[in-house]
Amino acid sequence: MNQRSEMTREEIISHLEQTPLNQLMQMADKVRQQHVGDDVHIRGIIEFSNYCCRSCLYCGLRKENKNIERYRMQPEEIIQLALDMAGQGVRTIVLQSGDDFAYSAKTIASIVREIKQEADVAITLSLGERDFAEFESWRKAGADRYLMKHETANPTLYARLHPEKNLEERLSALTFLRDLGYELGMGCMVGLPGQTIEDLAEDILLIHRFQADMAGIGPFLPQKDTPLKDHPPGDLNLTLKVLALVRLTSKDIHLPATTATATLDPEQGQTLALQAGANVIMPDFTPQDYGRKYIIYNNKAKVTFNLAKDLIEETGRRLGKGKGGSLKCKKPQRD
């Protein structure tokens, strides 16, 4: 992780505080066009469980929330839905859940293996922190990518928001995943209570140092059954500035126009994100009976495949036809 950003911490802070948003967006859009092109890649999400053993202060899935109706999809349901998605032309399947240890490592490996045997897709796992041996077994089963946001690069703030956890553990897991040969997704929230502009600059630099393949940048959004229910949502303009600066510092990274931006601004959020350097959209394929219970924050937008395709067309971009894999040549592969 000794890659050096072309921007210093002080320059990033200056951009966040002083550079007009439109100027940063134009700079980022130019870099996006030069380094990743006009394709917008689809990552189709299956939110297969809303059980979680963690107590993160901002998340509606936290184990202390007694007002949420919990669910778990059966392995055969997950596999069939993934194959249906592949039949619609989705080339990346994202299997996402809370930190739910009811699914054994063997079960997850079997799901990955069966999907890969039947469909020519990339599989991204987003299952939180697990035992390192489990990460390894899923990689051997055929998982291509792992998405686990670092949330904030400030270790004190991280510990405050994640009871009984710490940033060092999260970064160790991300390092291990990268060294296994996973394409690595990380990312942060903008507008967390107690977060500073300096913290956001560290987020941008951390993503660069990790040489992440993808980074999700979204605003903090409150959820009514959490300790942060009364904290105001993150600012969209500041979120777009952080997104643009990640594009400017990590030029060939994949950046989603996140569902959180669509939730914060249903009319323009994702459009503005695409104009600020984003090149990925992550539509939700979770069946409605399950998806309405996956309440990580209030009033979560439902971004469908058709909405994503319409948005790509409206912004003058084109739908990516391939799997949208890493643009970096850095991965050590381990048998």
Side-chain angles (χ1 to χ4, degrees), residues 160-175:
R160 191 185 311 148
L161 296 171
H162 304 86
E164 301 178 5
K165 301 297 291 180
N166 62 69
L167 181 61
E168 185 178 357
E169 291 173 336
R170 178 59 56 105
L171 298 184
S172 293
L174 287 166
T175 300

Side-chain angles (χ1 to χ4, degrees), residues 42 281-283 303-313 319:
I42 295 295
I281 299 179
M282 302 178 74
V303 179
T304 65
F305 193 18
N306 285 335
L307 282 173
K309 288 188 285 189
D310 289 346
L311 180 60
I312 292 166
E313 185 176 345
L319 179 67

